[in-house]
């Protein structure tokens, strides 16, 4: 069976680093640390400052979500933004009754 690279639901931002880590069967924190070191190294060269950020965003858009997982990542939250909540249906067959029962000889 061929392995496929997906974004993971075990994510901090979009699941890119965790997805790469799952593909190589290592801890997500190793990939996140490598990404952070590369980002800091690119900061030293002015022309490469935005390369890690653009690479991450490109992978976030390019890599598909895993088909068997439910997602709560940044893109899922943004896609729900502006959508209306499901409207509540009015209750039509309810009967009203008094839930307080008066005690005999009470107040």
């Amino acid at each position: 069976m061929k392995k496929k690279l997906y974004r993971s639901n075990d994510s901090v931002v979009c699941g890119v680093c965790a997805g790469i880590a799952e593909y190589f069967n290592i801890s997500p924190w190793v990939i996140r640390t490598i990404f952070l070191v590369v980002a800091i190294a690119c900061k030293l060269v002015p022309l490469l400052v935005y390369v890690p950020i653009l690479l991450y965003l490109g992978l976030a858009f390019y890599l598909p979500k895993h088909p068997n997982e439910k997602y709560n990542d940044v893109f899922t939250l943004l896609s729900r933004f502006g959508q209306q909540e499901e409207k509540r249906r009015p209750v039509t067959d309810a009967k009203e009754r008094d839930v307080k029962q008066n005690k005999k000889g009470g107040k």
Side-chain angles (χ1 to χ4, degrees):
M1 188 167 130
K2 188 176 178 182
K3 287 170 98 176
K4 196 165 181 186
L5 186 60
Y6 292 107
R7 285 190 293 141
S8 175
N9 196 25
D10 179 26
S11 66
V12 174
V13 179
C14 293
V16 173
C17 292
I20 294 170
E22 286 176 5
Y23 183 79
F24 290 111
N25 200 22
I26 57 177
S27 172
W29 289 104
V30 173
I31 300 296
R32 291 174 185 141
T33 304
I34 291 170
F35 178 79
L36 186 63
V37 168
V38 169
I40 291 171
C42 286
K43 178 97 169 125
L44 299 174
V45 181
L47 295 176
L48 298 178
V49 171
Y50 298 107
V51 170
I53 297 168
L54 293 174
L55 179 67
Y56 187 90
L57 290 175
L59 286 172
F61 283 113
Y62 177 74
L63 291 178
K65 296 177 184 178
H66 197 282
N68 298 331
E69 292 185 17
K70 189 174 182 179
Y71 279 80
N72 290 323
D73 63 353
V74 172
F75 292 123
T76 306
L77 293 174
L78 288 176
S79 68
R80 290 183 192 159
F81 186 73
Q83 292 180 355
Q84 293 182 352
E85 296 277 332
E86 184 178 318
K87 293 184 178 180
R88 298 177 76 176
R89 296 182 308 167
V91 179
T92 56
D93 59 346
K95 295 181 181 177
E96 188 176 324
R97 65 180 181 141
D98 190 11
V99 292
K100 290 184 180 180
Q101 296 179 355
N102 294 332
K103 295 181 182 178
K104 292 182 181 179
K107 296 181 182 177

